[in-house]
Amino acid sequence: MKKADRYRMVIETFGQKMPDAQTELRYDNPFQLLVAVILSAQCTDKRVNMITPPLFERFPTPADLAAAGRDEVFALIQSCSYPNNKTTSLMGMARMLVDRFDGRVPDSIDDLMSLPGVGRKTANVILSVVYDRPAMAVDTHVFRVAERIGLTTSSKNPLTTEHELVRNIPSDKIARAHHWLILHGRYVCKARKPLCEQCDIRPYCRFYSKNNRQS
């Protein structure tokens, strides 16, 4: 199957099956989403959603978090992965939002990546979810699933995956495609044992086609 045909059929199928795909992180404003995405690094969304309600109640604004005591922040997030590093990142991020951006979450990738704890993936999540930009955030699910399906070819790192996906997905569907690939990787195209017989896109999947020929 030609790559262009694979992209077209995968996008059409996801669009039909998951028309309203969105992040599973719970948030009420851009600051809360930024906090949640920082916490989600190597941590499940389910765990993050358990941590954030008391954290947001105690620190509802960047100014509140910037003025917090480290021990109090750590106590509220200690059940997530790498709580020491994330405490440092959250407090540094909040201080920079207050000092450089008047407490507002910025809308450019360079400004976002200048914040402590914010890498390219996190910045792209904010751009796509909050600001509706055609930004493709590549996490472990997106990186793995795009390669397995055949949307990317021998990608060496998340940046090459991002660029290839952005080149081939219509700009008005890029933000939603990020969620399609994440949710597909989380619930169907699992890392160790993909549920191919439950997969709606298996007729267009390189992995399924290859393994079906060999069986």
Side-chain angles (χ1 to χ4, degrees):
M1 176 178 287
K2 293 181 179 179
K3 182 174 286 189
D5 293 330
R6 176 174 286 118
Y7 267 95
R8 178 174 55 82
M9 297 307 297
V10 167
I11 290 169
E12 285 182 6
T13 303
F14 278 149
Q16 294 168 3
K17 299 295 182 179
M18 293 188 283
D20 300 315
Q22 55 188 297
T23 180
E24 294 186 317
L25 293 170
R26 297 177 192 149
Y27 68 98
D28 291 326
N29 55 57
F31 170 64
Q32 288 187 358
L33 180 61
L34 181 55
V35 170
V37 178
I38 290 172
L39 288 172
S40 73
Q42 297 182 298
C43 187
T44 65
D45 286 1
K46 181 178 179 180
R47 169 59 57 183
V48 173
N49 288 336
M50 294 170 62
I51 292 169
T52 50
L55 183 68
F56 295 155
E57 183 178 3
R58 178 65 186 86
F59 308 114
T61 70
D64 294 317
L65 184 55
R70 180 182 176 85
D71 289 346
E72 188 176 9
V73 176
F74 178 85
L76 288 168
I77 71 166
Q78 62 183 321
S79 64
C80 76
S81 57
Y82 307 106
N84 274 307
N85 290 342
K86 289 178 181 178
T87 296
T88 300
S89 294
L90 289 177
M91 296 181 69
M93 174 272 292
R95 283 193 292 267
M96 190 173 289
L97 286 183
V98 171
D99 293 342
R100 288 187 53 190
F101 301 105
D102 297 321
R104 179 179 176 273
V105 175
D107 62 356
S108 82
I109 193 164
D110 290 335
D111 285 343
L112 284 163
M113 289 179 65
S114 74
L115 298 169
V118 177
R120 189 175 182 90
K121 183 211 80 173
T122 298
N124 278 332
V125 170
I126 300 302
L127 290 175
S128 64
V129 175
V130 173
Y131 297 111
D132 198 27
R133 303 283 178 77
M136 173 58 68
V138 178
D139 69 354
T140 55
H141 289 303
V142 173
F143 185 78
R144 181 187 77 251
V145 170
E147 179 73 18
R148 184 181 275 172
I149 293 172
L151 300 180
T152 58
T153 306
S154 302
S155 291
K156 296 180 173 59
N157 55 61
L159 185 59
T160 60
T161 293
E162 176 189 333
H163 287 166
E164 189 164 0
L165 291 173
V166 168
R167 278 198 308 271
N168 289 281
I169 298 174
S171 61
D172 64 328
K173 293 181 171 61
I174 289 172
R176 216 176 333 151
H178 159 71
H179 299 302
W180 288 337
L181 293 169
I182 285 179
L183 295 172
H184 190 65
R186 186 172 291 164
Y187 298 113
V188 180
C189 196
K190 299 181 179 182
R192 294 185 179 180
K193 191 176 180 181
L195 306 178
C196 293
E197 296 309 314
Q198 300 178 26
C199 178
D200 293 311
I201 64 168
R202 68 177 182 271
Y204 326 116
C205 175
R206 182 177 61 193
F207 175 86
Y208 182 80
S209 176
K210 178 181 177 181
N211 284 274
N212 218 33
R213 285 199 305 268
Q214 292 177 349
S215 61

